[in-house]
Amino acid sequence: MNLAEVDASAWAELEGAAADPQSAFRYLNLCSVDAYGRPQARMVVLRRVDAARRVLEIHTDVRSPKWQEISANPLVTLLGYGPQPKVQLRLQGLAELHGPASECATEARSLLPQSTRNTYVGGPPGDEIGELPASEGGIADADGRAFLGVLIFRAETLDWFQLRHADNRRAVFAYDHLGALTSSRWVNP
Ligand SMILES: Cc1cc2nc3c(=O)[nH]c(=O)nc-3n(C[C@H](O)[C@H](O)[C@H](O)COP(=O)(O)O)c2cc1C
């Protein structure tokens, strides 16, 4: 594979993963930096990919710590690993947050199955279970509408790494704001 093919294959893999629960890249590690400068990492589901624009969509509860962290600092990393053929994708970029009232979140919510919507109905993520009765926690919306937020991630760089027996390979790609590839190079693994 040449550089253009590596870039295209990585994005095709991500695009496929958004539609395929069995794909290794369906679950990515979303990393942000908290108010104390500490790295924070957690798994998230890849909901949608626009490969041409280099955009990935993730859903979360707006009451979660990550929402606060990313509101204060939109620089995030998404990390994924596919065991066949042992490829790591490390994407750095900027996250845009779209709150529950946004068009983005309304549309995302309308496309979710009821079982997934229900994951936004409980108490605030990270609070002790049963700490607050639902009514006191401000939880009024049985559809989870009040808490579903959409994170739109725009990749600025992709660091692609393939583990091989004798000759690991690594390539780094950069994209502009519209998603066009602006540079690509092989680097030492
Ligand atoms: C496989 C898997 C998928 C997950 N997907 C999501 C997700 O799409 N959105 C989300 O907010 N949390 C998801 N979680 C939970 C997060 O990893 C995390 O525990 C939770 O969101 C709280 O994160 P925070 O305290 O950093 O905000 C997932 C967890 C697992 C194990």
Side-chain angles (χ1 to χ4, degrees):
M1 277 202 290
N2 63 29
L3 283 164
E5 287 164 350
V6 168
D7 179 53
S9 77
W11 283 95
E13 197 71 47
L14 289 169
E15 216 163 30
D20 176 10
Q22 303 308 318
S23 164
F25 294 104
R26 171 75 166 178
Y27 302 105
L28 300 174
N29 196 327
L30 168 67
C31 307
S32 53
V33 175
D34 73 13
Y36 304 99
R38 242 186 246 203
Q40 296 287 350
R42 76 288 281 170
M43 302 309 295
V44 291
V45 178
L46 179 58
R47 297 283 173 187
R48 189 181 62 85
V49 173
D50 182 338
R53 294 197 168 80
R54 318 288 178 175
V55 161
L56 282 71
E57 181 177 313
I58 286 147
H59 298 170
T60 191
D61 190 308
V62 298
R63 299 165 299 170
S64 66
K66 74 178 86 50
W67 192 264
Q68 305 310 322
E69 285 163 21
I70 297 168
S71 307
N73 180 356
L75 301 175
V76 303
T77 291
L78 281 167
L79 182 71
Y81 173 67
Q84 271 168 355
K86 292 200 176 74
V87 166
Q88 169 180 268
L89 300 181
R90 184 151 57 146
L91 294 149
Q92 293 197 326
L94 281 173
E96 270 169 30
L97 298 180
H98 298 264
S102 64
E103 208 173 297
C104 222
T106 307
E107 192 195 339
R109 195 181 137 278
S110 73
L111 298 172
L112 291 180
Q114 189 62 44
S115 56
T116 308
R117 278 186 218 170
N118 287 344
T119 61
Y120 295 92
V121 175
D127 280 13
E128 204 165 319
I129 287 179
E131 234 174 30
L132 280 177
S135 54
E136 287 174 33
I139 301 152
D141 187 331
D143 260 356
R145 184 185 351 237
F147 308 120
L148 190 152
V150 174
L151 185 160
I152 301 287
F153 170 86
R154 209 171 286 282
E156 295 176 330
T157 60
L158 164 63
D159 182 338
W160 177 95
F161 188 108
Q162 184 177 28
L163 192 69
R164 302 208 295 189
H165 282 299
D167 56 339
N168 298 333
R169 295 194 302 167
R170 185 171 175 198
V172 179
F173 304 90
Y175 311 107
D176 70 14
H177 187 70
L178 296 173
L181 185 65
T182 54
S183 79
S184 56
R185 61 206 165 90
W186 293 108
V187 298
N188 291 323

